[in-house]
Structures are given as structure tokens and as C-alpha cells.
């Protein structure tokens, strides 16, 4: 995860830090991935309301019990992503973090975190929160507000346990320091009301304060059967579209 909200030529970091990567790096920023690094301008007031997305459905046939659902693969998983048609006027699709990482597999290597033991511990075991399949989409709204979506699929038990661990790590510290290279960013986190019923629905807001600029991001995550959806971006955009994102998930 690359921090893009600050650029002051690099400040020295006085605290000891642990380098993190992969899912741990993403969790440190408050999400599994972002559209344009950790940059988002808060949206105030109204924006064009989203159309209500109908739940995607698969052909009805006898299948495994919910507890034994297998991961959704490839293009079938992509079918459940939001599109600009779902979001409404004013949205433009962008290059996703997956595309950027494919071009530069080491783009998250310079991320560090200090002052949050749970995130530092997660960095040692990031392979334990990797899911079987993943796809993502990114959007901008207006001049510079972003909305990112990730879908992950695995068995329900693995998704549930991994999501709990990621959210616990991210929300266990109200304040910590993250760095990109040598530039320090103070991160503050607070939990929000869950975006839906059930034990695997979470939301929290992350504020990142760097030299000369602050940025506010909201994350909402919901597991439905063998698919996990996460939205992150400007709080108003996340709040406005999480229901539509969940509605597109396959019926379990």
C-alpha cells in the first residue's frame, strides 16, 4: 500500500518500525486495497444517489450447505463487482490496485508501522489472512473522491476468521504511525456502526494526517456466504453504496 497523501521530501522517523507487506500493509491503511493509494477527499453534501443493484443470482440447483461453499473463481467473481451503471452518474472507473501491483510487485515494500502491536503481529503472519480468490474495481467521483471495492472468496469459515483478524488489527489501536519510505503519517481509527446484520459486518473510519494534509477514509466490509465485499473511500460514497454492493453478491 503506497501512501500518496503526503510528499515533503521525506521526514526522519524516530520510532522503531516494522516493515509490512501484502494484506498486512493493506490492513495498516485500513483496507485490503485502495484505488489510488491512501488518498481520498471527503465528500460533503449530496451526490447523485446510487441506483439499487439487484442481487446477482446463479441458476437454482441443489448445492452444498452454506458451511461447505467453495471459493468463487475468476470471471464469475468479477460478475459481482459494482459497475458505473450501478453507481450512477458522475463515476469513472479507474486502474485498480491489482493492476498497479502487477506492474510493480514491490510497490508496497516500503510501508512501515509503529505503535500498534496488533498490526505489527499481523505483519508476521500475513499469509494467514490471504484468501483463495480476489478481484477489485476502482472509481472516482467528481474531481478527486475515490471509491474502491474488493471481493474475496474462500470457504465461509476462512473468510470469517480472516476478516475478524484484519478488522481487529486495524481497530485495536486508536492511534499509530505509518510510514511510506521515510515520510511519517499519523493514523487515527474509530469504529462505526456495522453496515448490516450478522457477525461478519464491520465499518470504521481512518484519518491519516501527514505533513500539510489530512485524509479521511471509511471502510465497510460484509461477508455473505463464500464472498466478502469491502468498500473503502470517501465516507459519503461508502455509505451510499455498501447496500448495493452487498445486494450484488450471490445468494448463499
Amino acid at each position: 500500500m503506497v501512501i500518496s497523501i503526503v510528499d515533503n521530501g521525506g521526514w526522519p522517523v524516530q520510532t522503531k518500525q516494522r516493515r509490512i507487506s501484502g494484506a498486512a500493509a493493506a490492513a495498516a491503511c485500513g483496507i485490503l486495497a485502495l484505488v489510488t493509494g491512501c488518498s481520498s477527499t471527503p465528500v460533503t453534501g449530496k451526490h447523485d444517489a446510487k441506483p439499487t443493484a439487484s442481487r446477482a443470482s446463479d441458476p437454482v440447483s441443489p448445492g452444498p450447505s452454506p458451511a461447505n461453499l467453495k471459493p468463487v473463481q475468476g470471471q464469475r467473481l468479477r460478475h459481482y463487482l459494482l459497475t458505473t451503471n450501478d453507481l450512477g452518474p458522475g463515476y469513472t472507473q479507474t486502474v485498480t490496485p491489482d493492476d498497479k501491483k502487477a506492474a510493480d510487485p514491490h510497490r508496497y515494500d516500503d510501508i512501515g508501522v509503529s505503535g500498534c502491536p496488533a498490526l505489527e503481529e499481523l505483519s508476521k503472519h500475513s499469509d494467514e489472512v490471504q484468501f483463495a480468490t480476489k478481484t477489485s474495481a476502482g472509481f472516482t467521483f467528481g474531481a478527486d473522491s475515490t471509491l474502491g471495492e474488493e471481493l474475496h472468496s474462500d470457504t465461509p469459515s476462512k473468510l470469517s476468521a480472516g476478516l475478524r483478524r484484519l478488522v481487529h488489527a486495524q481497530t485495536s489501536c486508536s492511534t499509530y504511525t505509518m510510514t511510506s519510505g521515510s515520510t511519517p503519517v499519523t493514523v487515527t481509527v474509530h469504529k462505526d456502526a456495522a453496515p448490516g446484520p450478522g457477525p461478519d459486518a464491520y465499518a470504521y473510519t481512518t484519518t491519516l494526517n501527514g505533513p500539510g494534509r489530512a485524509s479521511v477514509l471509511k471502510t465497510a466490509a460484509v461477508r455473505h456466504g463464500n464472498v466478502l465485499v469491502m468498500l473503502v473511500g470517501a465516507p459519503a460514497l461508502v455509505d451510499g453504496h455498501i447496500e448495493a454492493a452487498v445486494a450484488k453478491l450471490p445468494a448463499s
Side-chain angles (χ1 to χ4, degrees), residues 3-26:
I3 304 298
S4 61
I5 65 168
V6 292
D7 181 8
N8 72 331
W11 284 17
V13 178
Q14 303 298 326
T15 54
K16 182 179 180 181
Q17 64 177 338
R18 174 176 293 277
R19 293 294 171 183
I20 56 178
S21 61

Side-chain angles (χ1 to χ4, degrees), residues 97-119:
D98 289 341
D99 298 328
K100 297 175 183 177
K101 187 173 182 181
D104 180 7
H106 302 293
R107 66 187 300 265
Y108 300 156
D109 288 355
D110 67 344
I111 299 301
V113 64
S114 62
C116 187
L119 282 173

Side-chain angles (χ1 to χ4, degrees), residues 3-9 38 180 183-185 208-214:
I3 304 298
S4 61
I5 65 168
V6 292
D7 181 8
N8 72 331
C38 294
S180 176
T183 301
V185 178
L208 302 101
N209 287 284
R213 186 175 178 184

Side-chain angles (χ1 to χ4, degrees), residues 32 131 150-152 159 163 221-223 226-230:
L32 294 179
F131 303 122
E150 280 200 357
L151 298 179
H152 293 259
L159 286 178
L163 177 60
V222 178
R223 179 190 66 84
N226 60 344
V227 179
L228 160 66
V229 58
M230 298 188 77

Side-chain angles (χ1 to χ4, degrees), residues 38-127:
C38 294
S39 178
S40 181
T41 299
V43 174
T44 58
K46 292 184 178 180
H47 62 92
D48 292 321
K50 77 289 182 187
T52 300
S54 59
R55 180 179 299 280
S57 59
D58 297 315
V60 177
S61 62
S65 66
N68 296 321
L69 290 171
K70 302 299 182 182
V72 179
Q73 302 293 328
Q75 287 300 314
R76 185 179 168 213
L77 185 61
R78 290 193 62 80
H79 174 68
Y80 304 123
L81 285 168
L82 291 170
T83 68
T84 53
N85 289 335
D86 298 318
L87 298 174
Y91 287 87
T92 302
Q93 192 152 3
T94 63
V95 175
T96 70
D98 289 341
D99 298 328
K100 297 175 183 177
K101 187 173 182 181
D104 180 7
H106 302 293
R107 66 187 300 265
Y108 300 156
D109 288 355
D110 67 344
I111 299 301
V113 64
S114 62
C116 187
L119 282 173
E120 294 176 31
E121 181 65 20
L122 182 65
S123 71
K124 304 174 187 177
H125 307 283
S126 60
D127 58 327

Side-chain angles (χ1 to χ4, degrees), residues 164-188:
R164 282 199 306 270
R165 186 165 186 180
L166 285 167
V167 173
H168 170 73
Q170 172 58 27
T171 60
S172 63
C173 303
S174 58
T175 304
Y176 59 92
T177 299
M178 187 163 60
T179 60
S180 176
S182 59
T183 301
V185 178
T186 300
V187 182
T188 58

